[in-house]
């Protein structure tokens, strides 16, 4: 690692419901909590081998749906554990990102952590409320297809608001009262119940992407239980809706510019020697017309935001050669006339990604405001035209209940020094978010990865060593430390 002065920042094959595909940005992130105390109290959790992987233990921990209204009932939070292999320091609890990711799945199918962390920590994952095995958020499957989210092609914010209300009502009907308690602050309280069930006194948190929302919320509410906190690829929860959208657009533009530059100088790029930005623009316009085929769903067309999301998803690693091949294949694909396939109403489908509306406020009261924000989105995103987060903002602006955990500056007291990690060219959590969170968090130190992609820990030996040294030994890198790009 080197010290410098601080500086400023397939097409995907899986498909989920509408907003999750737009929020992949906010769908790939995962985080972790490390618990201090090798001599924990007796373990009251009834562990058993997980059905998917007998080498991992599974259990549930019961928490109230709403701590202020115990009569509303309880939720059984699904948890999983891999035991430490050596001299145990404590427990690492993986904070799932997304929102909508499963921490249990992340453990039973493999995790991101180094052998050094596996030697010293029990590693625990969980499914947050609303996700997979923990009271999954279920909504009307007939509303899985969203309305037009682009004002330039006839989209109406009034129609979107009407859609959002119907969707929210259906989520409550199929899910019950937990549908209104999915915010990161409430999930953080669930984590403290897990800490208590584990018999631990203090915990250390690692969060990546949307997992950093949970990590920050935990530190705000339970600072005296924090041993250490890592925020990797951090969400800046102080932003207004307009600031959130503009900064996401800038991040997408920067990541796409890196791809274009790589293709221009790399003979092995499938689009080398062509105008890559112009090719993308042509495909985006085809998506606006509705004749660009979605390779992950035969017979279905991309809409513009789904196309933008698929391109940006390739930039998470980044996998630039695959993105170039994707764009070439789409350019060669003939136009299609997609016919929407109706989904029967009154059929429930999991839609955990809508928890994002519980943490953010997007003030879009009318068409004129929406049109102005769209013009700003186009300017900030440059050749990309729009970041996929645009769709989430439009839908959440019509959510009928205010977010239980609205945006605010960090409110941390009594928390030990914090490690923030971020890449300069992250397509989902902009570097400017990391500098802002660091500036507003007393005692925080920013480690900068000078490269591309989403997520810093595990990306290079330098970033992994910094994270491990902090979690294992509570030693922060020097302020202004940078890890070189891979």
């Amino acid at each position: 690692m080197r010290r410098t002065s601080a500086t400023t920042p397939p097409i995907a094959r899986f498909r989920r419901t509408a907003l999750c595909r737009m929020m992949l940005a906010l769908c790939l992130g995962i985080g972790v909590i490390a618990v201090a105390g090798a001599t924990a109290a007796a373990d009251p959790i009834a562990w058993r081998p997980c059905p998917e992987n007998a080498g991992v233990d599974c259990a549930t921990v019961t928490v109230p749906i709403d701590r202020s209204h115990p009569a509303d009932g309880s939720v059984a939070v699904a948890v999983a554990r891999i035991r430490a292999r050596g001299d145990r320091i404590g427990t690492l609890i993986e904070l799932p990102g997304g929102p909508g990711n499963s921490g249990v799945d992340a453990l039973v199918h493999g995790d991101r952590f180094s052998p050094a962390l596996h030697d010293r920590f029990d590693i625990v994952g969980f499914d947050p409320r609303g996700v997979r095995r923990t009271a999954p958020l279920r909504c009307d499957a007939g509303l899985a297809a969203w309305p037009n989210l682009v004002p330039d092609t006839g989209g109406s914010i009034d129609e979107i608001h009407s859609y959002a209300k119907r969707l929210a009502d259906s989520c409550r009907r199929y899910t019950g009262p937990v549908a209104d308690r999915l915010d990161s602050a409430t999930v953080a309280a669930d984590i403290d119940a897990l800490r208590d069930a584990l018999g631990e006194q203090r915990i250390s948190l690692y969060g990546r992407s949307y997992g950093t929302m949970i990590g920050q919320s935990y530190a705000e509410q339970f600072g005296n239980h924090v041993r250490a906190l890592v925020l990797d690829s951090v969400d800046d929860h102080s932003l207004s809706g307009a600031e959130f959208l503009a900064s996401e657009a800038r991040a997408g533009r920067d990541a796409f510019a890196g791809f274009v530059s790589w293709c221009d100088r790399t003979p092995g790029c499938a689009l080398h020697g062509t105008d890559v930005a112009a090719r993308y623009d042509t495909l985006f316009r085809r998506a606006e017309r509705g004749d660009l085929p979605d390779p992950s769903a035969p017979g279905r067309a991309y809409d513009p935001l789904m196309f933008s999301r698929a391109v940006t998803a390739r930039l998470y690693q980044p996998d630039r050669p695959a993105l170039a091949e994707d764009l070439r294949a789409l350019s060669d694909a003939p136009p299609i006339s997609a016919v929407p396939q109706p989904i029967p109403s009154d059929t429930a489908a999991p839609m955990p990604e809508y928890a994002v509306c519980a943490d953010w406020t997007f003030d879009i009261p009318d068409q004129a405001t929406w049109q102005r924000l769209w013009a700003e989105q186009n300017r900030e995103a440059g050749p990309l035209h729009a970041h996929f987060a645009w769709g989430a903002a439009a839908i959440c602006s019509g959510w009928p209940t205010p977010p239980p955990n609205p945006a605010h500056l960090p409110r941390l007291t009594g928390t030990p020094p914090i490690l923030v990690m971020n890449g300069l060219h992250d397509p989902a959590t902009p570097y400017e978010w990391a500098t802002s969170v660091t500036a507003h968090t007393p005692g925080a130190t920013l480690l900068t990865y000078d490269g591309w992609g989403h997520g810093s820990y595990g990306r290079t030996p330098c970033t992994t060593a910094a994270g491990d040294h902090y979690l294992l030994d509570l030693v922060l890198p020097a302020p202004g430390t940078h890890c070189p790009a891979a």
Side-chain angles (χ1 to χ4, degrees):
M1 290 182 284
R2 62 181 175 86
R3 286 191 65 190
T4 72
S5 58
T7 62
T8 57
I11 297 269
R13 297 297 173 191
F14 69 90
R15 291 182 62 91
R16 297 182 63 173
T17 53
L19 183 57
C20 185
R21 297 195 300 271
M22 287 181 296
M23 290 299 294
L24 178 66
L26 304 163
C27 255
L28 293 179
I30 296 218
V32 180
I33 291 190
V35 183
T39 57
D43 185 355
I45 301 176
W47 297 105
R48 63 192 184 281
C50 297
E52 305 93 333
N53 182 346
V56 180
D57 300 325
C58 281
T60 60
V61 173
T62 301
V63 299
I65 292 175
D66 186 340
R67 285 163 176 79
S68 62
H69 297 92
D72 284 350
S74 61
V75 173
V77 177
V79 298
R81 177 186 65 179
I82 299 175
R83 299 298 300 268
R85 299 180 302 204
D87 185 14
R88 180 180 179 275
I89 291 175
T91 303
L92 292 172
I93 303 177
E94 190 169 15
L95 303 179
N101 289 358
S102 164
V104 173
D105 286 349
L107 280 197
V108 300
H109 299 304
D111 62 79
R112 71 178 78 250
F113 303 111
S114 70
L117 295 184
H118 275 281
D119 285 343
R120 304 300 305 279
F121 292 104
D122 291 349
I123 297 178
V124 172
F126 72 103
D127 288 357
R129 52 176 63 208
V131 176
R132 290 280 279 133
R133 305 163 185 83
T134 303
L137 182 66
R138 295 169 61 80
C139 311
D140 188 346
L143 297 172
W146 61 91
N148 186 348
L149 297 172
V150 178
D152 284 353
T153 59
S156 164
I157 197 63
D158 288 341
E159 290 181 9
I160 293 169
H161 288 173
S162 175
Y163 164 84
K165 183 179 186 305
R166 297 195 310 275
L167 179 64
D169 290 346
S170 81
C171 297
R172 292 192 198 94
R173 183 170 71 253
Y174 285 112
T175 308
V178 73
D180 291 321
R181 301 300 305 176
L182 300 177
D183 58 285
S184 294
T186 300
V187 173
D190 294 344
I191 291 168
D192 203 58
L194 174 57
R195 175 202 60 79
D196 188 55
L198 289 167
E200 303 286 3
Q201 297 301 312
R202 292 188 305 133
I203 61 178
S204 298
L205 298 90
Y206 168 93
R208 174 178 290 194
S209 192
Y210 213 88
T212 66
M213 296 276 287
I214 305 171
Q216 290 174 82
S217 292
Y218 188 88
E220 288 184 330
Q221 298 177 75
F222 308 104
N224 60 323
H225 294 160
V226 174
R227 170 182 173 268
L229 170 59
V230 178
L231 302 174
D232 181 359
S233 305
V234 63
D235 278 30
D236 183 357
H237 200 214
S238 72
L239 299 174
S240 69
E243 292 168 333
F244 175 91
L245 286 172
S247 54
E248 285 281 60
R250 289 191 291 271
R253 177 179 188 166
D254 175 65
F256 186 71
F259 164 67
V260 172
S261 176
W262 169 84
C263 203
D264 286 345
R265 67 177 185 271
T266 305
C269 172
L271 302 178
H272 181 69
T274 70
D275 189 334
V276 177
R279 184 182 296 258
Y280 175 89
D281 181 74
T282 297
L283 294 171
F284 189 89
R285 301 306 177 189
R286 286 183 60 188
E288 287 184 325
R289 295 193 301 270
D291 67 19
L292 183 66
D294 180 346
S296 68
R300 184 180 301 173
Y302 271 132
D303 75 16
L305 293 177
M306 288 303 97
F307 173 58
S308 171
R309 182 210 65 86
V311 169
T312 306
R314 285 293 200 191
L315 300 174
Y316 271 50
Q317 189 54 31
D319 191 345
R320 290 164 171 168
L323 176 55
E325 292 286 355
D326 290 339
L327 296 179
R328 183 173 67 175
L330 283 172
S331 297
D332 294 339
I336 65 169
S337 298
V339 178
Q341 298 298 313
I343 300 175
S345 193
D346 293 326
T347 300
M351 300 185 187
E353 59 277 3
Y354 287 102
V356 68
C357 299
D359 285 311
W360 291 98
T361 301
F362 296 96
D363 184 15
I364 311 177
D366 52 44
Q367 189 74 13
T369 302
W370 196 41
Q371 191 75 53
R372 175 179 55 78
L373 289 171
W374 177 249
E376 180 179 355
Q377 180 76 185
N378 290 175
R379 289 194 302 271
E380 296 287 4
L384 197 65
H385 293 297
H387 194 279
F388 56 80
W390 170 264
I395 293 173
C396 289
S397 73
W399 210 253
T401 55
N405 181 39
H408 58 273
L409 286 168
R411 298 188 291 251
L412 275 61
T413 58
T415 305
I418 292 167
L419 174 60
V420 180
M421 308 173 74
N422 221 92
L424 276 176
H425 307 288
D426 192 309
T429 52
Y431 187 70
E432 62 187 270
W433 289 5
T435 59
S436 174
V437 170
T438 303
H440 291 108
T441 303
T445 296
L446 173 59
L447 173 77
T448 300
Y449 169 63
D450 290 334
W452 309 81
H454 185 50
S456 296
Y457 178 83
R459 187 168 288 277
T460 70
C462 177
T463 60
T464 302
D468 284 358
H469 195 25
Y470 174 65
L471 287 172
L472 293 167
D473 305 316
L474 301 180
V475 177
L476 285 163
T481 297
H482 285 236
C483 284

